[in-house]
């Protein structure tokens, strides 16, 4: 199993370090792993002058899976758009064809009080958001800024989806629904945007191949509202790149901390990039305060989705549950009466639990 390891920026470095310790445990128990590190984002800009340089491209293309920390930092905010760390992330997604972004929002019962919502609203929450990741307004052409005929400056982007792009992500959504609660909610803005009206039409067509799945449709504004009103009505949500970006952040907070949420970005052959759903948190970077659990849980997703190793994936998840059950908490999920741990101490605890 060839894994490219991209710590990235900010807390990415600290959390990936803890995730690697988890992989080391699996290695010492016989799993054959080949790890290669490369920079992405700001770290890559500093070293190579580009956020997704050739050095990193080569390693990632040759790998079976990529483990990523996070990218970004205030020192890069004034750079040209093309050089920003975020461009590294968008670049690797596009380059590797990682069109299916799986963002589970699962509430560990131990953390029911960490949510800002009432425990009864979120207890038992288990949603899977399937976000299309390589199309939509994120990549649509034309894009840019210009001065129009009246001499007024303006900026524009293009929201666009092709039929094959919608079909393949719809299949991912239906496929996951089949393995879970057999409910799929497709989120669009079909009342206003042609692009997402087309999305809806294609999803309805794909649904014919999945008669056992109950398909529903929701406008994105309503979906944002329903996620906080009654999130347990959802099983799998499938949506485009932009809506998925927004709704997945919202869904993550239902679980108490974005520091708990893993994600997978898969290509057509289950090669995947695995990363926590959160960002690089420059404000706490280098302080050994970050929560490494989302990254550790991303390793569990990697084992499950790319390497078909359900046993190893479950083993990691069980270890995380165990440390939470024992009262171990990083600052972001801390409650009085619990044991407050640093990032590396949380890593120690998970390794020990494994
Ligand atoms: C995410 C992030 C990225 C996105 C940024 C950092 C480019 O918000 O992965 O959700 O918008 O996709
Ligand atoms: Mg986002």
């Amino acid at each position: 199993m060839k894994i490219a390891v991209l710590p990235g920026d900010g807390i990415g470095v600290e959390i990936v370090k803890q995730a690697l310790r988890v992989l080391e445990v699996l290695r010492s128990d016989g799993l054959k792993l080949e790890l290669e590190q490369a920079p992405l984002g700001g770290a890559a800009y500093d070293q190579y002058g580009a956020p997704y340089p050739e050095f990193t491209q080569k390693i990632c293309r040759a790998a079976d899976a990529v483990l990523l920390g996070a990218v970004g930092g205030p020192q890069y905010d004034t750079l040209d758009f093309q050089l920003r760390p975020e461009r590294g992330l968008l670049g690797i997604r596009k380059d590797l064809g990682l069109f299916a972004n799986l963002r589970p929002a699962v509430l560990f019962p131990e953390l029911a009080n960490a949510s800002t919502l009432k425990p009864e609203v979120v207890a038992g929450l288990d949603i899977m958001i399937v976000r299309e990741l390589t199309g939509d307004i994120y990549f649509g052409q034309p894009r840019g800024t210009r001065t129009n005929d009246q001499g007024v400056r303006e900026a524009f982007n293009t929201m666009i989806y092709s039929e094959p792009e919608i079909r393949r992500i719809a299949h991912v959504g239906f496929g996951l629904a089949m393995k879970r609660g057999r409910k799929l909610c497709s989120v669009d803005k079909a009342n206003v945007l042609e692009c997402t009206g087309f999305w809806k039409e294609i999803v309805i067509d794909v649904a014919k191949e999945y008669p056992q799945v109950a398909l529903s449709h929701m406008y994105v504004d309503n979906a944002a509202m329903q996620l906080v009103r009654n999130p347990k009505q959802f099983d799998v949500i499938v949506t485009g790149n932009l809506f998925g970006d927004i709704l997945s952040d919202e869904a993550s907070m239902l679980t108490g901390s974005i520091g708990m949420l893993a994600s997978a970005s898969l290509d057509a052959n289950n090669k995947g990039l695995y990363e926590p759903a959160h960002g690089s948190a420059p404000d706490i970077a280098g302080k050994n305060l970050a929560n490494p659990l989302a990254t550790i849980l991303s390793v569990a997703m990697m084992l499950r989705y790319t390497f078909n190793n359900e046993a190893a994936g479950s083993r990691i998840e069980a270890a995380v549950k165990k440390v939470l059950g024992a009262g171990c908490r990083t600052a972001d999920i801390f409650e009085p009466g619990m044991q407050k741990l640093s990032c590396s101490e949380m890593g120690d605890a998970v390794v020990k639990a494994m």
Side-chain angles (χ1 to χ4, degrees):
M1 301 173 8
K2 250 191 173 153
I3 304 173
V5 178
L6 316 180
D9 308 317
I11 59 168
V13 179
E14 303 154 55
I15 55 182
V16 163
K17 203 179 206 172
Q18 301 311 316
L20 288 179
R21 295 179 60 199
V22 167
L23 279 172
E24 282 310 322
V25 174
L26 298 175
R27 198 211 299 259
S28 67
D29 288 350
L31 213 65
K32 293 229 160 14
L33 298 174
E34 223 178 280
L35 304 176
E36 227 174 329
Q37 288 220 14
L40 185 80
Y45 172 76
D46 291 339
Q47 202 178 337
Y48 291 100
Y52 182 44
E54 224 168 280
F55 176 81
T56 305
Q57 288 170 21
K58 273 201 191 119
I59 288 175
C60 293
R61 286 175 191 162
D64 302 307
V66 180
L67 177 65
L68 170 65
V71 298
Q75 68 271 46
Y76 307 109
D77 283 351
T78 52
L79 285 177
D80 196 67
F81 252 111
Q82 293 309 319
L83 298 175
R84 296 227 189 131
E86 292 77 7
R87 278 298 155 123
L89 192 51
L90 299 175
I92 190 172
R93 287 172 181 170
K94 195 74 177 173
D95 183 41
L96 301 183
L98 307 170
F99 69 93
N101 184 210
L102 276 40
R103 297 193 166 182
V106 179
L107 183 78
F108 286 86
E110 294 82 3
L111 297 181
N113 288 318
S115 175
T116 49
L117 295 184
K118 294 195 189 90
E120 64 265 28
V121 175
V122 291
L125 186 81
D126 181 359
I127 303 177
M128 176 67 86
I129 297 193
V130 179
R131 168 190 178 194
E132 199 290 329
L133 203 58
T134 51
D136 202 353
I137 196 164
Y138 268 60
F139 294 95
Q141 295 290 345
R143 63 191 296 156
T145 54
R146 66 187 168 204
T147 302
N148 72 14
D149 299 344
Q150 282 81 47
V152 178
R153 287 199 314 136
E154 55 188 22
F156 56 99
N157 292 87
T158 303
M159 180 178 257
I160 181 166
Y161 265 122
S162 69
E163 183 172 339
E165 282 177 315
I166 302 169
R167 281 192 183 278
R168 65 180 183 178
I169 194 70
H171 279 292
V172 173
F174 281 108
L176 282 165
M178 284 296 288
K179 291 192 195 149
R180 297 172 40 108
R182 303 200 166 182
K183 282 196 329 189
L184 180 67
C185 180
S186 169
V187 172
D188 60 58
K189 188 72 186 172
N191 52 342
V192 178
L193 303 170
E194 284 83 352
C195 177
T196 77
F198 183 57
W199 169 284
K200 182 173 178 179
E201 193 186 308
I202 304 301
V203 171
I204 288 172
D205 194 51
V206 174
K208 292 180 194 149
E209 295 174 49
Y210 300 88
Q212 300 100 319
V213 175
L215 173 67
S216 61
H217 305 273
M218 206 179 268
Y219 297 142
V220 63
D221 48 350
N222 186 26
M225 188 262 277
Q226 295 296 338
L227 271 174
V228 287
R229 192 186 75 89
N230 176 21
K232 282 187 269 180
Q233 70 185 279
F234 296 107
D235 176 20
V236 181
I237 292 176
V238 66
T239 190
N241 204 343
L242 180 63
F243 298 162
D245 177 46
I246 299 164
L247 294 181
S248 60
D249 262 30
E250 186 188 8
S252 73
M253 266 323 282
L254 302 174
T255 69
S257 171
I258 197 167
M260 293 299 302
L261 292 188
S263 80
S265 305
L266 306 175
D267 77 358
N269 306 309
N270 285 339
K271 172 170 177 165
L273 178 144
Y274 298 84
E275 59 175 322
H278 61 72
S280 58
D283 53 323
I284 58 162
K287 296 185 179 157
N288 199 19
L289 287 174
N291 184 347
L293 293 179
T295 317
I296 289 172
L297 291 168
S298 297
V299 172
M301 286 188 93
M302 174 189 290
L303 287 155
R304 183 167 291 133
Y305 289 103
T306 292
F307 298 121
N308 280 316
N309 191 337
E310 179 63 36
S314 306
R315 182 176 171 201
I316 296 171
E317 285 163 1
V320 169
K321 264 185 98 62
K322 194 164 164 194
V323 303
L324 291 173
C328 298
R329 300 285 187 276
T330 40
D332 57 315
I333 50 175
F334 181 74
E335 301 167 58
M338 300 291 157
Q339 196 190 349
K340 199 185 258 182
L341 301 187
S342 67
C343 178
S344 56
E345 286 167 341
M346 186 58 103
D348 295 340
V350 174
V351 164
K352 201 166 153 222
M354 283 181 74

Short mmCIF file of all heavy atoms in Angstrom, two decimals, residues 103 131 138 245-246 248-249 277, ligand 2:
data_model
loop_
_atom_site.label_atom_id
_atom_site.label_comp_id
_atom_site.label_asym_id
_atom_site.label_seq_id
_atom_site.Cartn_x
_atom_site.Cartn_y
_atom_site.Cartn_z
N ARG A 103 -18.26 13.12 3.04
CA ARG A 103 -18.08 13.79 4.33
C ARG A 103 -19.12 13.30 5.33
O ARG A 103 -20.24 13.80 5.37
CB ARG A 103 -18.18 15.30 4.15
CG ARG A 103 -17.06 15.82 3.25
CD ARG A 103 -16.93 17.32 3.29
NE ARG A 103 -15.65 17.71 2.68
CZ ARG A 103 -15.20 18.93 2.59
NH1 ARG A 103 -15.92 19.93 3.05
NH2 ARG A 103 -14.04 19.19 2.04
N ARG A 131 -20.37 15.14 -1.78
CA ARG A 131 -20.16 16.40 -2.49
C ARG A 131 -19.38 16.15 -3.77
O ARG A 131 -18.29 15.57 -3.72
CB ARG A 131 -19.37 17.34 -1.55
CG ARG A 131 -18.84 18.59 -2.21
CD ARG A 131 -17.86 19.32 -1.27
NE ARG A 131 -17.30 20.49 -1.92
CZ ARG A 131 -16.24 21.16 -1.46
NH1 ARG A 131 -15.64 20.78 -0.35
NH2 ARG A 131 -15.79 22.21 -2.10
N TYR A 138 -16.64 25.99 -9.03
CA TYR A 138 -15.24 25.96 -8.60
C TYR A 138 -14.28 25.91 -9.78
O TYR A 138 -13.17 26.42 -9.70
CB TYR A 138 -14.99 24.72 -7.73
CG TYR A 138 -15.17 24.93 -6.26
CD1 TYR A 138 -16.39 25.34 -5.73
CD2 TYR A 138 -14.11 24.71 -5.38
CE1 TYR A 138 -16.55 25.52 -4.37
CE2 TYR A 138 -14.26 24.88 -4.02
CZ TYR A 138 -15.49 25.30 -3.52
OH TYR A 138 -15.64 25.47 -2.17
N ASP A 245 -19.78 22.21 -0.22
CA ASP A 245 -18.77 22.88 0.61
C ASP A 245 -19.46 23.51 1.82
O ASP A 245 -19.03 23.34 2.97
CB ASP A 245 -18.07 23.96 -0.23
CG ASP A 245 -17.07 24.76 0.60
OD1 ASP A 245 -16.29 24.14 1.34
OD2 ASP A 245 -17.08 26.00 0.50
N ILE A 246 -20.54 24.21 1.56
CA ILE A 246 -21.23 24.95 2.62
C ILE A 246 -21.97 24.01 3.57
O ILE A 246 -21.83 24.09 4.79
CB ILE A 246 -22.19 25.97 1.98
CG1 ILE A 246 -21.40 26.97 1.11
CG2 ILE A 246 -22.99 26.70 3.06
CD1 ILE A 246 -22.25 27.77 0.15
N SER A 248 -21.54 20.89 4.18
CA SER A 248 -20.71 19.97 4.97
C SER A 248 -20.08 20.67 6.17
O SER A 248 -19.90 20.07 7.22
CB SER A 248 -19.65 19.28 4.10
OG SER A 248 -18.78 20.20 3.50
N ASP A 249 -19.77 21.94 6.04
CA ASP A 249 -19.30 22.68 7.23
C ASP A 249 -20.42 22.78 8.25
O ASP A 249 -20.21 22.60 9.46
CB ASP A 249 -18.85 24.10 6.86
CG ASP A 249 -17.34 24.21 6.69
OD1 ASP A 249 -16.72 23.20 6.29
OD2 ASP A 249 -16.79 25.29 6.95
N ALA A 277 -11.97 17.28 7.78
CA ALA A 277 -12.86 18.27 7.14
C ALA A 277 -12.48 19.69 7.54
O ALA A 277 -12.89 20.65 6.90
CB ALA A 277 -14.31 18.00 7.52
MG1 LIG B 2 -15.07 23.96 2.89
#
